[in-house]
Amino acid sequence: MSFEFMISQLESSEQLDILLKKIKKMEIQLDFFNKTSEDLTDDEIRILLESANLLASSSKIKNQQNALNIATTLPLISPSSSVSMASLLILRKLGNYPGMKLLENRYDMSNYKRQLNGMALFEAHVLEYANTRRLSGQEYLLTNFQKKVVDMIEEDVDGISISAPTSAGKSYIFLKVLLDIISKEEGTTVIYIVPTRALIKQVMNDFLVNISELGLKNIYVGCSSETEVIVEYPERSNILVLTQERLYQLCNKQDANKIKTKIIVIDEAHNIQYGGRGVLLENAIKFSRVLWKDSKILFSSPLVKNPQKLLETFDFERGLKEKDDLPLVRQNIIMVRMGAEELLVSALYDEKVEDNEINIGRKYYINSGNTVSKILANSALYLWNNQTSIIYANEPMLSTDVIRELFNSGKFPCLNDERLDEFADFIEEYITKSYELANFIRRGLAFHFGSLPAIIRSGIEELFKVGALKIVSCTSTLLEGVNMPAKNIFVYKPQKGRNKAIDNLSFWNLAGRAGRIGNDFAGNIICIELERWRSNPVSGERYQKIVPSSEIKLIEDSVNFKEFIETQNSNPGKDDYNEQLFSLIIKERLLGRNLENSSYNKEHNASTLKEIDSITRITIEEFKPPRDLLNKNPGIMPNRINALWDFFELNKNIYDLFLPAFPLNEKGYDSFALIVKIINHLFIGQSWSDKQEKKITTAGHKWMRGTSLAQLMFFNRTVLSREHREITKHVKNEIEFINRTIRYQIVKYTQTYIEVLKTFLISIGKAEESEKVINISAYLEYGACTASALEFMAIGLPREAAIKLSEIIGNHENISTDYCIEWLKRLDVNSLDLANYLKKQIYGMQMKF
């Protein structure tokens, strides 16, 4: 009987299908009910293991997935040495070495090879040898997918696009490969692009930990777009962790071409399809390709059907693509229906076939209400299996409501965990004792969303990853690459954005965060009242096609875009998508490329694209300042830059009034107030009231000076007398204002203000004054203005610690990155008058150098 015939028999085997459903039911029952209504005979176990052994050798993903299901489920429901040994061998065939390691650790099987002999032992050595790669002087046993990634990067190509499930171990292998690249060639730079600022610290920390563990030397890890620290030390290797905004800023630097960039990794590259930020990402990548022609670019996306699209978008002639469909961790889709007194639990066996629902069981519960927060809290409360869990919330205040419901249930006592208590103490000291989050955290509960103070958000992530926090309610920030895998994810009518049902790609990206590599064989996605969702992402296609947002707009909405640029934005500052796209088109035109001869040109939009080309040409011809300013200011309409240039021209005799003053100077406030007024008038059409102008000026000036968040948020002390939820909402609103208005909008416009001012000063013979113009946009982004504080933040310390250390180290002409690092190494952290949590943050950084 041939191998192919046996596989085909298994593929159509009704008995195997029944057994696969049976073991899934048993696994979920044991996980959530601590008992099972089913029994598994020895014969059934034998059939399953023999089938898995054959299926693991199949080239079909579905067969491999079934083999994975068997090998990672049987040891949980029928633990024995023989089952574990057979499962180990199946996982080895699948190249799932993290799963093998987990199995070895859980069942004390580290010496399993001693039980092998003959062909089995020979096969073990051959397979492991084939999957072993030497990186940074160390040998790593990699999965089949990770091995392919290493081999692809070593190929003589300039572009690589990879799509793999969230739990495929992408980030792990990228980190190892990048360290290998810079350890082999001194003076090289690698760049790692993350979609949001919130991810920078997480990725930087992973690099620093690995550098320390590997004993690598002379490597700088930073998150700043400034180039001095790189250019001044050409023999040192560099890792830059940047957002797309900072990548574009880096490319704009005069000496950026001196950076020997070897490879750029674009993490969460599928974000290229989402609005203005997607266009900016595309613009930044195209800029970097012009600047560093010899560097490779690696795109990484989850669950993308057409990874080659990214290679086509950027015209890679020598590109490789890889689409991997086999996760390292299984995801169980569990459905919950809420009766009057019972939770009815079932599971999906295969979302692509009919009659795919498996009845799991029912649980008695007390229905406390039908609000969304109560529905989510009730489900989590009564189905919680004492393992790390995420409750997905559609918006920030809902996430706080859910955790408050759990807190008020009385079923989560204080855990007396030193890690949680130190963090809670820090929150009370640096925010306020009235901030309810501290009390939640002491009980292993927390909420998490983008409008939290950065240090609190990252602290929650760290404590959740180590298992100290038990349940966290998160918004869609979880979809942006935040590394918070959990055993369970509870979901009810999920949305991404306001009133927009979650799309299939985002749902399965979220689902992929259930189950932690190295900790779990499977994760659980608990879908509550699935029938009531606006759309059902479970039954749809998991993989979706990437379409860049520039292409969406130019092919599907070209007429509206043309009308937008014809008016040169009659409603300025309100449409980042169209503004970013016009910047991209102008930049392409300056490089000699137009839309008429592009891939965007289709029969239905040909005439419209021709008109857009004409508008673009006229816009460039009528642009008064040097055209280089069009490149330096993405997302700013050219007529706004023209208006600012005219303003400076009209007032050139008093140009010194418009020079930004250092925030700590006595003129700092008045200078910044004038800049905000000019931005309001020329960039956003006077849409800020006098009161808003004053709030932006006051908050922005204090933020640049390093004022604490507590002082910024509670300058009006009467807020503290409000009830807990209102204080939580106030903190959320204030951080949202700082992030969106100060750290994004004002940063964007002050960057343009500074670039135009410097260029204008050169044009009137004031080159020396131009060189002295201070970069307040950097102060606004980081929330500090002293050189030492900025240096400490650039190497990964949180703002709160950096500002405190800046006060101690002082500011003098010797301040540099290396000076701050050497000073930090010698610092006696215990002598600092700081919260223990901050001391440990600083000590942790010390240990990485």
Side-chain angles (χ1 to χ4, degrees):
M1 187 180 296
S2 71
F3 171 77
E4 289 78 9
F5 179 77
M6 289 189 290
I7 292 290
S8 67
Q9 290 291 101
L10 287 173
E11 288 174 344
S12 58
S13 169
E14 186 177 338
Q15 182 185 24
L16 179 59
D17 209 45
I18 291 170
L19 290 177
L20 284 167
K21 288 181 179 179
K22 187 175 185 179
I23 61 173
K24 179 177 281 287
K25 180 175 183 176
M26 294 175 72
E27 175 198 12
I28 296 171
Q29 284 181 331
L30 289 169
D31 204 354
F32 288 94
F33 295 86
N34 296 315
K35 60 182 180 180
T36 178
S37 59
E38 303 285 341
D39 289 312
L40 206 59
T41 68
D42 290 343
D43 278 345
E44 289 173 331
I45 292 172
R46 177 184 55 76
I47 291 168
L48 283 165
L49 290 173
E50 288 177 354
S51 299
N53 189 47
L54 284 169
L55 294 171
S57 301
S58 171
S59 60
K60 294 182 180 179
I61 288 295
K62 180 64 178 175
N63 291 335
Q64 293 177 23
Q65 288 174 334
N66 283 336
L68 177 69
N69 292 346
I70 294 168
T72 55
T73 304
L74 277 182
L76 300 176
I77 63 177
S78 183
S80 70
S81 57
S82 59
V83 167
S84 297
M85 174 62 75
S87 294
L88 273 174
L89 300 180
I90 293 162
L91 289 172
R92 191 185 64 201
K93 277 191 175 182
L94 293 169
N96 189 339
Y97 294 102
M100 289 182 66
K101 191 70 176 175
L102 177 58
L103 199 58
E104 290 174 41
N105 292 338
R106 187 168 290 186
Y107 298 105
D108 193 23
M109 299 182 65
S110 56
N111 296 321
Y112 82 96
K113 285 184 187 175
R114 293 182 181 177
Q115 301 177 46
L116 303 179
N117 52 48
M119 283 302 297
L121 182 60
F122 176 72
E123 185 184 53
H125 286 296
V126 168
L127 290 174
E128 290 185 12
Y129 177 80
N131 278 50
T132 299
R133 295 293 182 272
R134 189 170 184 81
L135 303 168
S136 304
Q138 300 287 323
E139 290 194 341
Y140 295 95
L141 184 55
L142 306 176
T143 67
N144 293 342
F145 163 72
Q146 291 169 338
K147 176 187 68 174
K148 287 179 187 176
V149 172
V150 174
D151 294 345
M152 288 168 73
I153 292 173
E154 291 178 351
E155 291 279 334
D156 183 23
V157 295
D158 48 12
I160 301 168
S161 184
I162 292 166
S163 171
T166 305
S167 60
K170 299 189 293 291
S171 299
Y172 171 87
I173 196 59
F174 296 158
L175 185 147
K176 299 297 184 186
V177 169
L178 294 185
L179 289 176
D180 182 62
I181 288 171
I182 61 173
S183 66
K184 285 178 178 176
E185 189 175 343
E186 287 185 352
T188 58
T189 294
V190 299
I191 301 175
Y192 196 105
I193 303 302
V194 294
T196 65
R197 283 191 301 251
L199 290 168
I200 288 175
K201 183 184 177 185
Q202 171 188 304
V203 176
M204 284 182 69
N205 186 62
D206 290 342
F207 275 114
L208 288 166
V209 167
N210 276 264
I211 288 169
S212 177
E213 290 176 351
L214 292 167
L216 301 178
K217 303 295 181 184
N218 206 26
I219 297 174
Y220 167 74
V221 181
C223 60
S224 170
S225 59
E226 299 301 318
T227 56
E228 290 85 351
V229 69
I230 300 173
V231 174
E232 287 180 12
Y233 300 93
E235 75 287 350
R236 181 166 60 190
S237 294
N238 309 284
I239 300 170
L240 300 180
V241 183
L242 309 172
T243 58
Q244 54 262 50
E245 289 89 352
R246 292 186 190 177
L247 174 61
Y248 201 99
Q249 293 165 19
L250 176 68
C251 293
N252 256 328
K253 300 299 180 183
Q254 194 169 8
D255 50 3
N257 60 348
K258 296 178 183 178
I259 300 173
K260 191 178 178 183
T261 304
K262 201 78 173 177
I263 186 171
I264 304 172
V265 173
I266 314 295
D267 200 7
E268 305 291 326
H270 64 290
N271 284 318
I272 199 171
Q273 65 189 331
Y274 297 128
R277 288 183 63 78
V279 178
L280 179 59
L281 176 59
E282 180 179 342
N283 206 351
I285 295 169
K286 286 182 174 177
F287 201 168
S288 66
R289 289 209 69 202
V290 171
L291 192 63
W292 301 301
K293 291 182 173 62
D294 296 328
S295 68
K296 289 182 181 178
I297 296 185
L298 189 157
F299 301 97
S300 171
S301 313
L303 306 170
V304 167
K305 187 181 290 186
N306 59 333
Q308 71 279 1
K309 180 65 177 180
L310 290 165
L311 301 175
E312 295 166 1
T313 298
F314 297 98
D315 299 320
F316 285 103
E317 295 180 0
R318 296 176 301 126
L320 294 175
K321 64 179 176 69
E322 176 65 26
K323 182 172 173 288
D324 187 87
D325 297 332
L326 186 65
L328 298 180
V329 179
R330 292 181 291 107
Q331 275 84 41
N332 295 318
I333 303 297
I334 299 170
M335 298 187 299
V336 176
R337 295 177 178 89
M338 305 186 77
E341 296 181 340
E342 290 180 322
L343 299 176
L344 308 176
V345 183
S346 60
L348 291 187
Y349 168 58
D350 184 342
E351 66 272 9
K352 294 182 179 179
V353 301
E354 294 183 6
D355 191 28
N356 62 351
E357 199 169 328
I358 306 170
N359 178 46
I360 302 298
R362 54 187 66 208
K363 234 178 196 186
Y364 174 78
Y365 85 112
I366 299 174
N367 188 344
S368 60
N370 293 318
T371 64
V372 175
S373 59
K374 289 182 183 295
I375 288 171
L376 283 165
N378 276 336
S379 300
L381 188 62
Y382 289 94
L383 286 175
W384 189 47
N385 53 9
N386 291 303
Q387 301 194 61
T388 54
S389 299
I390 284 171
I391 303 173
Y392 185 86
N394 292 334
E395 52 91 19
M397 289 311 295
L398 175 59
S399 73
T400 73
D401 294 340
V402 171
I403 294 301
R404 197 177 301 107
E405 291 284 348
L406 294 177
F407 175 83
N408 290 334
S409 72
K411 296 185 178 180
F412 293 90
C414 284
L415 297 177
N416 297 316
D417 185 317
E418 182 181 351
R419 299 166 298 179
L420 297 177
D421 290 340
E422 280 188 351
F423 188 48
D425 290 344
F426 165 76
I427 291 172
E428 291 179 339
E429 180 177 344
Y430 277 77
I431 303 298
T432 172
K433 288 186 180 295
S434 302
Y435 194 30
E436 61 185 338
L437 178 60
N439 273 332
F440 297 164
I441 283 169
R442 296 185 198 280
R443 290 161 171 77
L445 306 171
F447 48 78
H448 179 285
F449 45 79
S451 299
L452 282 176
I455 191 169
I456 293 178
R457 192 174 58 239
S458 63
I460 289 169
E461 292 162 15
E462 291 164 5
L463 289 168
F464 189 75
K465 280 189 283 187
V466 298
L469 284 171
K470 306 304 179 183
I471 301 179
V472 175
S473 185
C474 290
T475 61
S476 59
T477 52
L478 190 64
L479 297 171
E480 294 170 345
V482 174
N483 185 18
M484 285 179 60
K487 176 66 177 179
N488 311 304
I489 298 180
F490 291 84
V491 190
Y492 174 67
K493 294 185 178 180
Q495 296 175 2
K496 185 183 179 187
R498 189 174 296 276
N499 299 321
K500 185 179 179 182
I502 198 168
D503 58 80
N504 286 21
L505 187 150
S506 296
F507 176 82
W508 289 109
N509 188 14
L510 173 67
R513 300 183 188 282
R516 300 154 298 170
I517 297 173
N519 289 82
D520 303 310
F521 292 120
N524 303 308
I525 318 299
I526 298 100
C527 300
I528 304 160
E529 300 284 1
L530 183 59
E531 293 86 353
R532 294 172 59 187
W533 294 12
R534 193 185 309 175
S535 62
N536 184 349
V538 174
S539 61
E541 175 64 55
R542 288 196 185 198
Y543 294 83
Q544 289 190 330
K545 287 186 176 181
I546 282 184
V547 181
S549 50
S550 60
E551 183 175 318
I552 295 171
K553 178 70 71 171
L554 290 171
I555 293 178
E556 299 177 12
D557 196 27
S558 58
V559 173
N560 285 332
F561 176 66
K562 184 200 70 158
E563 291 173 357
F564 174 87
I565 62 173
E566 275 179 328
T567 61
Q568 284 283 291
N569 191 359
S570 58
N571 190 19
K574 302 294 185 182
D575 193 337
D576 187 55
Y577 192 171
N578 281 324
E579 290 174 338
Q580 292 289 353
L581 182 56
F582 197 37
S583 291
L584 175 62
I585 291 169
I586 287 173
K587 188 176 182 67
E588 290 290 285
R589 185 59 177 258
L590 291 171
L591 292 170
R593 296 189 280 265
N594 60 25
L595 296 177
E596 188 178 2
N597 298 313
S598 72
S599 60
Y600 305 121
N601 195 336
K602 310 297 179 185
E603 186 176 345
H604 74 276
N605 68 346
S607 61
T608 304
L609 294 189
K610 195 170 182 178
E611 290 181 68
I612 294 172
D613 278 337
S614 177
I615 297 168
T616 304
R617 175 182 56 78
I618 293 169
T619 298
I620 293 171
E621 289 173 354
E622 294 179 348
F623 191 70
K624 300 172 187 177
R627 291 179 179 177
D628 188 43
L629 286 174
L630 291 170
N631 278 335
K632 290 184 175 181
N633 298 284
I636 305 291
M637 296 300 285
N639 68 328
R640 302 295 154 186
I641 301 174
N642 270 335
L644 182 59
W645 187 270
D646 287 343
F647 175 82
F648 288 143
E649 184 71 47
L650 183 66
N651 296 281
K652 63 182 176 184
N653 293 329
I654 52 171
Y655 72 85
D656 54 318
L657 290 178
F658 309 112
L659 300 176
F662 190 64
L664 296 177
N665 289 353
E666 62 179 23
K667 295 181 179 179
Y669 180 88
D670 291 338
S671 170
F672 183 57
L674 178 58
I675 293 171
V676 170
K677 189 172 288 293
I678 292 170
I679 287 171
N680 188 19
H681 179 64
L682 297 179
F683 287 94
I684 59 172
Q686 209 69 40
S687 62
W688 294 330
S689 66
D690 291 344
K691 186 177 180 180
Q692 286 173 308
E693 263 191 26
K694 186 173 181 180
K695 179 178 181 180
I696 291 167
T697 301
T698 303
H701 183 243
K702 287 181 177 181
W703 176 250
M704 288 190 286
R705 289 169 63 93
T707 301
S708 72
L709 283 175
Q711 288 177 287
L712 279 170
M713 292 187 293
F714 301 111
F715 62 90
N716 179 359
R717 305 297 292 177
T718 61
V719 173
L720 295 173
S721 63
R722 298 176 185 174
E723 55 109 1
H724 288 316
R725 188 181 190 276
E726 286 303 306
I727 292 174
T728 295
K729 185 176 181 179
H730 175 78
V731 172
K732 190 267 296 183
N733 290 343
E734 290 301 304
I735 296 300
E736 192 171 85
F737 169 75
I738 290 171
N739 287 344
R740 289 187 180 178
T741 303
I742 304 298
R743 298 188 70 198
Y744 178 71
Q745 198 172 20
I746 297 296
V747 165
K748 174 182 172 181
Y749 291 127
T750 52
Q751 282 173 347
T752 299
Y753 180 92
I754 290 165
E755 290 293 346
V756 175
L757 177 60
K758 289 169 70 174
T759 304
F760 177 76
L761 290 173
I762 293 171
S763 77
I764 61 172
K766 304 292 182 182
E768 285 190 21
E769 285 88 339
S770 176
E771 291 179 4
K772 295 176 184 176
V773 174
I774 61 173
N775 187 9
I776 61 167
S777 60
Y779 305 159
L780 287 160
E781 183 176 358
Y782 287 96
C785 61
T786 62
S788 52
L790 292 169
E791 292 290 356
F792 285 128
M793 279 189 271
I795 61 175
L797 279 170
R799 175 179 184 261
E800 292 74 8
I803 289 171
K804 184 64 178 180
L805 295 181
S806 175
E807 293 170 0
I808 298 169
I809 195 175
N811 283 284
H812 45 80
E813 61 183 17
N814 292 328
I815 293 295
S816 66
T817 302
D818 288 321
Y819 181 90
C820 289
I821 289 174
E822 291 304 316
W823 180 87
L824 185 62
K825 287 179 182 177
R826 300 189 301 271
L827 179 67
D828 179 7
V829 178
N830 289 326
S831 68
L832 299 178
D833 182 21
L834 283 175
N836 284 337
Y837 179 77
L838 269 191
K839 286 183 182 180
K840 289 183 177 179
Q841 293 281 308
I842 297 168
Y843 180 74
M845 185 61 69
Q846 271 187 328
M847 295 299 99
K848 293 164 189 169
F849 291 117

